[in-house]
Amino acid sequence: MYTGTYAPWENVPKVLRHEEMMRPLKVVIDFFEIDNIEGHCARLKEWRDYAVKTACYVNEREGPGMLLHTWEEHIRLIEAMYLLWHEYSNESWQYKKASEAQLAEEKNTWDYFPVTLDAQQLANPYLITEQFFKHKGLAIYRDHLYEWLIMAMSKAVYQNSDLDAEDIITVYENILQLYEAAWIICQRNSDRPHLIQQKESTPEKAEPAATAEPAAAVPDEVEPLEHFNITEQVKHSNSIEARFFKPLYPKPSPACALGLQKVKEDILAHYPTVQLIAYLGSHDDPFTCYLLLLVSDDEKREEGHLSTNVEDHLQPLVHTHIILHKATSAIAALNKGSRFWNDALSKGEVIYRSADLPAFKAHSVTNQVRHERAQFHWNLWGKQGEELLQGAVFFQESANHRQAAFLLHKATETMLKGIIQAILGYRIQMHNISRLLRLTLLFTDSLKAVFELNTETGVQEFTFLKSSYAQAHYSDSFAPDQSIIAVLLGKVRQLYEQAQTVYDGRLQLLNTEQ
C-alpha cells in the first residue's frame, strides 16, 4: 500500500458519480437496500479473512468478481459518508440530535438497533463519522481496501504487502463502526426505513417518517393538524369524478387555513431559503398534507435530501409529503407550459410567497392540450409498464424468479410514474415506489387499494416488492419464492388495469368539460 504523503486532492470521492456526490444520502440508503447490516458485516468479515489467509476468494455462484462488487460498495459508502460528514462539519445544515424519547421509539420499531454505541453516538451518529476520518483520510481507506482486494485474490502479492495484522484489524473495526453510523443516518432520513415486521402491519406504520418523534414531543399549545378539517368537503356532480377522483387542488377549510399558518411559521423559522409554500391537498388515511415548496438558488442542499428533512422536521406537527424544487427551475417549467406548474402555482393555495421570489405568471392550459399530453404520457409510460409486466411473466414461467421480481418493481415504478404524469403533468424521477404511490393519493385511492396495505400480508408483500429492485441487482443471496412472485404478478396486473381505468376516466372528464 502507498505510504507516502497524500496531496489534498487525493481526499476527494473518485468512485461516486456526479449525481451521487450531489446526493450522498441516497448512496447510504441504497447500501442498506442491497443487504441488511448483518449481511454486510458477514461479507466484510469474509473479505477480511481471505485477505490474511492462504486461500484465494472464490464465490461458487457468482465467481471472484463478486469481491470486486463488495469492494466498490464499501468505497461508495465511505465516500458518501465522507461527504455527509463534511456537510455536518461545515455546518451547512443544522443536525438535530435525537431525544431520549425518539431513541426509545427507534429501539422498539427498527429491525436492528445498535447496541455497542453510547448515548451520545446514538443521538448524533456524526460523532462516529468524525472519529472514523480523524486518523485516516479518505485516500488512506481507499488504498487499504484496494490492498485487501489484491490480497484476497492473489496470495503472491500478499507476501510483499505493507499491511500488517494490526492495520487490517483497525480498518475492519472502524468500518464496523461506520456501518452503525450509516445505519442510523439511513433509518432517520429514508422514507422506507427497515422496521420490525409486526410494526408494519398497520397502515400508519407501512410508510413511517424516518425521524418521527412521539406525539408527546409536540408543545401543548400546538395542536396537530390531523385535528383540523384539512380540506373542505366537495360534492361531485359528475359521476365519473365521484367514482375515480378526488378534487385536484382543493381549497383548505377555515380551520385548515389556521393550521397551515402554523406550518408556514415553522418552515420559515428553520428553512430561510424557502420562497414559496403552497397547499396542494391532503389524504386522510394515513393523514398526509401535501405541500409544494420553492427554494432560492442559495440553497445548497440537494432537493430530495431537503424535502425529506422538512418532512421529518414537521412530523410532530403533521405528516407531510413535500414536493420541493428550486424556484428558478419551477418558473422555467411554468413558462414552457408545464401543466403541473401552471396548475400548482395558480390553483394551489399559496400560504407564503417571499418578496424575493422572481416574478412569474401562470398561463392557461386548455383541456385539449391536457388531453393530448395525458394521452401521450400514458401511451408512453403505461405501455412500457405493461411490457415490463409481460417480461416478468416470461421470467416467472422460466423459473427465473429473481429477474421476475426486478421487472415487477420496474413495472410498478413505470406505471405509477405514467399515471402521475398523465393526471398531474408532474415529471418525477425516482425508484421509490412507496413515495410514488403516496403521490397518487392526491387524485385517487384506487391504486393504493390494490396492494391491500391495511393487512399484514399486504404490507409484507409490498415491502418485498419495494426491496426487489436493489436486491435483484446487488444481493447474491436473493432467491425469491415462486408463491410471492405469483401473488405480485396478480397485483401489478391489477395496478395496470386500475391505472388504465383512472386514465380513461380522466380523459372522459376532460372531454365533457370542453
Side-chain angles (χ1 to χ4, degrees):
M1 191 192 81
Y2 174 72
T3 57
T5 302
Y6 289 90
W9 53 83
E10 287 296 309
N11 285 294
V12 297
K14 293 186 176 181
V15 175
L16 297 183
R17 295 184 292 273
H18 174 73
E19 60 269 23
E20 293 170 333
M21 293 174 66
M22 298 297 100
R23 302 178 60 191
L25 178 61
K26 183 179 184 300
V27 178
V28 176
I29 293 173
D30 287 347
F31 184 79
F32 293 108
E33 290 287 353
I34 295 170
D35 206 344
N36 59 28
I37 197 166
E38 291 89 348
H40 283 300
C41 288
R43 283 195 293 169
L44 182 67
K45 182 178 183 298
E46 180 187 35
W47 182 13
R48 180 206 66 183
D49 290 346
Y50 273 108
V52 298
K53 65 185 183 180
T54 56
C56 295
Y57 175 87
V58 176
N59 184 299
E60 293 182 359
R61 177 176 176 179
E62 304 289 347
M66 280 303 300
L67 186 59
L68 182 62
H69 174 65
T70 300
W71 167 82
E72 184 178 353
E73 284 177 13
H74 284 78
I75 297 298
R76 288 163 57 79
L77 174 70
I78 292 172
E79 290 185 347
M81 291 295 289
Y82 182 77
L83 292 174
L84 289 173
W85 173 61
H86 267 276
E87 285 188 29
Y88 169 80
S89 301
N90 295 333
E91 298 182 349
S92 59
W93 52 276
Q94 185 177 7
Y95 183 77
K96 183 181 178 182
K97 297 180 182 179
S99 64
E100 291 185 6
Q102 180 180 336
L103 291 175
E105 177 72 11
E106 291 169 349
K107 187 174 183 179
N108 288 332
T109 56
W110 290 359
D111 66 0
Y112 170 83
F113 190 79
V115 295
T116 62
L117 306 183
D118 60 36
Q120 288 186 330
Q121 292 171 326
L122 289 169
N124 182 4
Y126 287 100
L127 297 178
I128 304 170
T129 310
E130 181 178 12
Q131 190 67 28
F132 183 85
F133 291 109
K134 185 175 182 180
H135 299 299
K136 296 183 187 296
L138 176 58
I140 296 177
Y141 278 111
R142 208 158 37 214
D143 283 349
H144 267 275
L145 292 186
Y146 182 72
E147 189 79 0
W148 279 31
L149 179 65
I150 299 300
M151 291 160 61
M153 299 184 74
S154 175
K155 294 298 102 181
V157 178
Y158 172 71
Q159 301 299 327
N160 299 320
S161 173
D162 291 322
L163 291 181
D164 57 26
E166 184 176 354
D167 289 327
I168 294 174
I169 291 172
T170 299
V171 170
Y172 172 71
E173 292 178 346
N174 287 355
I175 293 175
L176 291 181
Q177 285 276 295
L178 189 70
Y179 282 170
E180 306 275 64
W183 172 256
I184 295 172
I185 292 169
C186 168
Q187 289 289 90
R188 290 178 183 165
N189 291 279
S190 173
D191 59 1
R192 52 180 188 272
H194 304 262
L195 305 177
I196 299 172
Q197 285 298 319
Q198 58 265 33
K199 297 294 183 179
E200 296 182 337
S201 60
T202 63
E204 291 76 12
K205 291 298 182 180
E207 299 174 18
T211 59
E213 294 187 7
V218 184
D220 293 338
E221 68 274 12
V222 179
E223 182 179 7
L225 283 185
E226 292 94 319
H227 298 167
F228 292 107
N229 178 17
I230 197 71
T231 305
E232 290 181 338
Q233 297 299 315
V234 180
K235 294 183 179 179
H236 303 167
S237 58
N238 189 300
S239 61
I240 301 172
E241 186 171 3
R243 181 177 178 185
F244 297 116
F245 298 108
K246 296 170 59 180
L248 295 176
Y249 307 106
K251 296 297 181 182
S253 68
C256 169
L258 291 175
L260 289 172
Q261 286 302 310
K262 296 181 181 180
V263 173
K264 178 194 76 173
E265 293 166 4
D266 201 357
I267 292 175
L268 296 180
H270 292 87
Y271 303 94
T273 59
V274 171
Q275 294 185 317
L276 181 138
I277 306 172
Y279 167 73
L280 303 181
S282 68
H283 189 267
D284 294 331
D285 185 24
F287 180 83
T288 307
C289 180
Y290 293 78
L291 298 176
L292 170 66
L293 271 60
L294 299 184
V295 297
S296 70
D297 288 340
D298 295 334
E299 178 57 67
K300 302 304 181 186
R301 285 167 285 188
E302 189 272 328
E303 294 169 357
H305 180 194
L306 184 57
S307 64
T308 302
N309 189 286
V310 176
E311 290 174 359
D312 293 343
H313 174 76
L314 292 174
Q315 180 63 27
L317 184 63
V318 60
H319 185 49
T320 55
H321 183 106
I322 303 293
I323 297 175
L324 186 148
H325 290 272
K326 294 289 180 66
T328 51
S329 64
I331 294 172
L334 179 147
N335 291 332
K336 290 180 180 178
S338 164
R339 286 178 292 150
F340 173 75
W341 289 108
N342 276 282
D343 288 344
L345 295 176
S346 62
K347 300 178 181 179
E349 186 72 12
V350 176
I351 60 177
Y352 171 74
R353 178 173 177 170
S354 168
D356 297 329
L357 181 69
F360 64 84
K361 181 180 179 180
H363 307 280
S364 62
V365 181
T366 66
N367 277 358
Q368 181 180 353
V369 170
R370 295 179 189 278
H371 186 288
E372 291 173 353
R373 293 184 183 175
Q375 194 171 43
F376 172 81
H377 291 302
W378 181 246
N379 286 344
L380 174 64
W381 296 108
K383 180 65 174 177
Q384 187 177 118
E386 184 184 25
E387 291 171 349
L388 288 166
L389 177 59
Q390 293 305 315
V393 171
F394 170 80
F395 281 111
Q396 184 217 26
E397 293 173 349
S398 304
N400 188 341
H401 306 309
R402 180 191 183 97
Q403 190 66 18
F406 172 76
L407 289 179
L408 282 171
H409 183 287
K410 288 299 296 179
T412 303
E413 174 192 332
T414 304
M415 292 172 192
L416 292 176
K417 286 180 178 178
I419 197 64
I420 289 169
Q421 199 157 351
I423 303 300
L424 297 179
Y426 181 55
R427 183 179 180 182
I428 185 168
Q429 298 295 332
M430 63 171 59
H431 299 306
N432 188 335
I433 59 176
S434 288
R435 197 166 182 85
L436 291 169
L437 191 62
R438 194 186 310 150
L439 190 53
T440 67
L441 296 176
L442 262 177
F443 53 85
T444 184
D445 291 333
S446 61
L447 303 180
K448 182 181 177 182
V450 167
F451 294 103
E452 301 175 299
L453 295 178
N454 58 334
T455 68
E456 183 174 355
T457 300
V459 169
Q460 291 172 349
E461 291 165 351
F462 190 68
T463 300
F464 171 86
L465 181 63
K466 287 193 298 181
S467 66
S468 59
Y469 177 87
Q471 290 279 355
H473 257 311
Y474 303 115
S475 176
D476 58 343
S477 62
F478 182 58
D481 186 80
Q482 178 181 357
S483 60
I484 193 168
I485 297 299
V487 170
L488 288 174
L489 277 171
K491 288 193 173 183
V492 177
R493 186 176 289 109
Q494 290 178 43
L495 179 71
Y496 174 75
E497 293 170 354
Q498 193 60 50
Q500 181 70 52
T501 302
V502 170
Y503 162 74
D504 290 339
R506 179 61 175 167
L507 289 193
Q508 190 172 344
L509 275 174
L510 291 173
N511 290 335
T512 59
E513 293 172 359
Q514 287 183 355

